[in-house]
Amino acid sequence: GANATKKALDRGKAPKKKTDRGNSPKKTPDRETELSMEPGVVCKSIDGYENYEPLPGAAQTSDEKLLVYVRATGFKTEKVDGAYQAHLAPDFEVRKRGAKAVLLQKKKMFEYKPREAQPPYRIYLKNVISLKGLTPGDYDLTIILHDEIAKGSPATQVIKFKVIPPEDLSKK
């Protein structure tokens, strides 16, 4: 008998959460996830959603631009002119691996506002970052993604990359 009671109690807990969440009239229950990002990929090229070529070793010279593919999930949308629109804005910071000092930084690198007839859910961000002035070595790129509609906590992730001297390329 004790097991049956325990199961009934457990069942009783689950719906309570849903009702708490459902009290806010603006939110749709199926989109109750928090803003997050899939692990970013340093790329040679980015041609579309899930259509990119990873850069081997995430290594390039400071003359090249760092190309980073990031897929966003859990963002909110709002109705704009009869369509659903998301509004995402990434910041970035570049640090020497293991250091606290920020070497490169940009708030609101760009604003991305995809608009579709149905709520957009396949969203990727193509981040292009100039590496001018960085000396060869290991670096960390921190991407801080803001959902301008939800206004909740930003999603943050660190992507490792390498700056190599230009002459290394000729040896390949």
Side-chain angles (χ1 to χ4, degrees):
N3 279 352
T5 316
K6 189 176 182 333
K7 277 185 186 147
L9 287 174
D10 289 348
R11 271 198 301 266
K13 285 179 193 165
K16 190 170 184 236
K17 249 188 187 162
K18 281 186 187 144
T19 11
D20 291 349
R21 282 195 272 179
N23 286 344
S24 163
K26 273 189 151 181
K27 293 179 180 174
T28 48
D30 61 311
R31 298 294 286 180
E32 278 302 317
T33 50
E34 232 173 85
L35 179 66
S36 66
M37 291 179 276
E38 302 281 323
V41 180
V42 175
C43 299
K44 249 190 218 181
S45 64
I46 300 173
D47 297 313
Y49 183 81
E50 291 301 288
N51 183 4
Y52 57 86
E53 187 181 348
L55 179 68
Q60 60 190 61
T61 70
S62 61
D63 296 335
E64 298 172 281
K65 297 225 185 288
L66 187 66
L67 211 57
V68 181
Y69 177 95
V70 174
R71 215 169 48 229
T73 60
F75 49 86
K76 298 282 181 255
T77 57
E78 62 187 358
K79 278 275 201 157
V80 177
D81 299 328
Y84 291 91
Q85 178 176 290
H87 184 178
L88 301 172
D91 302 339
F92 80 83
E93 299 170 352
V94 173
R95 292 176 178 79
K96 197 86 160 151
R97 178 101 17 95
K100 293 229 184 294
V102 175
L103 303 173
L104 300 172
Q105 180 179 41
K106 185 151 175 65
K107 297 276 184 202
K108 274 202 182 165
M109 188 168 19
F110 57 86
E111 291 193 51
Y112 184 50
K113 299 179 178 180
R115 191 183 297 175
E116 296 175 21
Q118 295 299 313
Y121 68 95
R122 290 180 163 209
I123 287 188
Y124 76 96
L125 303 172
K126 177 179 180 176
N127 303 279
V128 182
I129 299 162
S130 171
L131 301 176
K132 280 270 179 264
L134 294 184
T135 55
D138 292 335
Y139 292 87
D140 290 334
L141 165 69
T142 304
I143 294 181
I144 302 119
L145 185 62
H146 302 272
D147 183 334
E148 298 293 327
I149 294 169
K151 296 279 184 212
S153 305
T156 303
Q157 74 166 293
V158 176
I159 298 160
K160 295 175 183 337
F161 71 97
K162 247 186 199 68
V163 172
I164 54 175
E167 58 272 15
D168 280 12
L169 294 175
S170 62
K171 291 176 190 163
K172 285 185 176 176

